């Protein structure tokens, strides 16, 4: 069945009120559209676990730290709605920006330590924008469960803190990263890569895999693991490594010694496109 496309908050609220009155569980997948097989995995998990599935498609200006990135962000609403319909999604919520932000916000969600490192360090205001829009969307969709990709590990950690710290009654479900055959994590931004850029874009994952293997073989020094992974990435001409760090999974704080599961996370510039990825490293 075709998904119902809703642009207005009040209209979505009416659907949500009906579902809640009928005691139907609501699963929610927030996205910025340009949907691919990574998003599809989130839709499938949400579909399997809930009575009503709502997907939001909203390119949130508040979370972009660079204007060109916002302007160049791919927008493919018709194809997105088709993918949602084929995945059994009930409602696609695609509001215009003026519906979400009728006037400049006076109140936002500030994010603390969990946003200090990794992307938070290089994208000022990004996680404030993410936490604020997700909080707004949670108030509108009132989901029982919400689905986020592990590909954006720091975002997932921020959202987990958001709902814990502000007592939001929603269960956060993390979904494993979907990758291309060569390991490149699926991303809407991959569409911007030239064929030549695409050929080298998986080098970040190659580096992260080296980190994972080193930790699995017993290396406990996070600086040594990070250095070995960076060396792999920096050996590839035509890319620029923004960061590659080893952090603990909960609050994304850098660690010295790897005594339990740790996240190796990096950001890579390939031409004018910035890609991120991470893996979990588990010591023996
Ligand atoms: P975005 O549209 O990029 O904001 O992503 C929407 C959701 O899809 C986020 O929770 C992402 O973490 C998730 N996502 C994006 N790419 C992937 C992927 N390759 N595998 C799994 N989840 C993903």
């Amino acid at each position: 069945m075709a998904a119902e496309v809703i642009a207005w908050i009040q209209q979505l609220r009416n659907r949500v009120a009906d579902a809640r009155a009928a005691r139907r569980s609501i699963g929610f997948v927030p996205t910025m559209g340009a949907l691919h097989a990574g998003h599809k995995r989130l839709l499938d998990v949400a579909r399997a676990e809930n009575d009503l599935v709502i997907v939001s498609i909203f390119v949130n200006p508040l979370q972009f730290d660079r204007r060109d990135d916002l302007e160049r962000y791919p927008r493919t609403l018709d194809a997105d709605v088709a993918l949602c319909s084929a995945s059994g999604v009930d409602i696609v919520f695609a509001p215009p920006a003026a519906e979400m932000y009728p006037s400049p916000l006076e109140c936002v969600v500030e994010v603390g330590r969990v946003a200090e490192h990794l992307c938070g360090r290089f994208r000022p205001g990004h996680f404030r924008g993410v936490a604020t829009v997700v909080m707004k969307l949670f108030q509108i969709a009132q989901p029982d469960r919400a689905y986020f990709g592990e590909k954006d590990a720091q975002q997932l950690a921020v959202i987990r803190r958001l709902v814990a710290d502000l007592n939001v009654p929603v269960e956060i479900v993390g979904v494993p990263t979907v990758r291309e055959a060569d390991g490149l994590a699926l991303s809407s931004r991959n569409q911007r890569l030239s064929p030549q850029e695409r050929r080298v874009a998986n080098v970040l994952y190659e580096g992260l895999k080296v980190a994972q293997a080193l930790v699995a073989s017993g290396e406990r020094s996070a600086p040594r693991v990070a250095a070995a992974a960076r060396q792999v990435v920096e050996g590839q001409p035509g890319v620029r490594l923004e960061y590659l760090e080893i952090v603990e999974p909960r609050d994304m704080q850098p660690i010295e010694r790897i005594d339990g599961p740790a996240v190796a996370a990096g950001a890579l510039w390939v031409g004018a496109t910035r890609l991120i990825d991470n893996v979990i490293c588990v010591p023996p």
Side-chain angles (χ1 to χ4, degrees):
M1 229 177 62
E4 180 182 9
V5 182
I6 292 180
W8 313 114
I9 293 169
Q10 189 54 52
Q11 201 182 343
L12 181 60
R13 278 195 196 288
N14 295 342
R15 293 289 182 282
V16 167
D18 292 346
R20 299 204 75 85
R23 297 192 170 279
R24 299 180 74 205
S25 63
I26 300 176
F28 177 52
V29 184
T31 81
M32 297 203 299
L35 302 184
H36 50 63
H39 298 109
K40 164 97 172 116
R41 180 76 56 85
L42 272 63
L43 307 185
D44 291 344
V45 179
R47 181 65 283 169
E49 296 181 352
N50 301 277
D51 298 321
L52 186 81
V53 175
I54 304 173
V55 173
S56 65
I57 295 178
F58 181 59
V59 182
N60 174 34
L62 215 60
Q63 72 190 66
F64 282 80
D65 52 312
R66 291 181 302 119
R67 233 184 106 156
D68 66 308
D69 190 28
L70 173 63
E71 282 164 5
R72 291 175 66 218
Y73 202 84
R75 290 163 172 85
T76 58
L77 186 61
D78 291 346
D80 294 348
V81 172
L83 181 79
C84 287
S85 298
S87 307
V89 169
D90 298 292
I91 295 173
V92 173
F93 178 53
E99 177 73 354
M100 291 296 283
Y101 302 116
S103 58
L105 295 182
E106 296 285 334
C107 304
V108 295
V109 179
E110 286 294 343
V111 185
R113 255 166 33 107
V114 60
E116 266 174 15
H117 297 276
L118 311 177
C119 291
R121 193 149 71 87
F122 291 93
R123 302 188 66 189
H126 170 65
F127 287 114
R128 182 200 305 127
V130 169
T132 300
V133 80
V134 169
M135 191 66 186
K136 283 167 71 74
L137 291 167
F138 282 172
Q139 300 301 322
I140 296 164
Q142 297 171 48
D144 298 281
R145 300 182 194 86
Y147 298 81
F148 292 85
E150 289 174 359
K151 189 208 143 220
D152 300 282
Q154 191 173 21
Q155 169 170 283
L156 181 54
V158 166
I159 301 301
R160 288 194 193 283
R161 286 308 302 239
L162 170 75
V163 305
D165 290 353
L166 301 182
N167 303 92
V168 187
V170 56
E171 179 191 337
I172 302 302
V173 182
V175 178
T177 303
V178 179
R179 300 179 179 281
E180 302 277 9
D182 68 347
L184 178 67
L186 265 55
S187 164
S188 306
R189 290 184 175 90
N190 292 355
Q191 292 184 20
R192 295 182 193 162
L193 299 172
S194 69
Q196 194 184 342
E197 290 171 342
R198 171 63 190 85
R199 275 197 288 280
V200 296
N202 71 331
V203 70
L204 175 57
Y205 182 58
E206 295 297 324
L208 296 174
K209 273 201 312 194
V210 164
Q212 200 174 40
L214 264 178
V215 174
S217 71
E219 176 61 68
R220 299 278 175 151
S221 159
R224 275 207 291 273
V225 170
R230 280 188 203 116
Q231 207 181 3
V232 171
V233 183
E234 285 164 351
Q236 172 65 57
V239 302
R240 182 172 70 77
L241 186 63
E242 184 178 84
Y243 71 77
L244 194 156
E245 289 185 64
I246 314 291
V247 298
E248 51 81 27
R250 224 180 98 85
D251 284 338
M252 300 280 125
Q253 297 301 299
I255 48 175
E256 283 290 314
R257 232 188 104 74
I258 301 168
D259 288 323
V263 178
L268 183 73
W269 285 91
V270 187
T273 303
R274 181 180 178 277
L275 304 175
I276 60 170
D277 200 352
N278 71 90
V279 299
I280 297 276
C281 302
V282 185

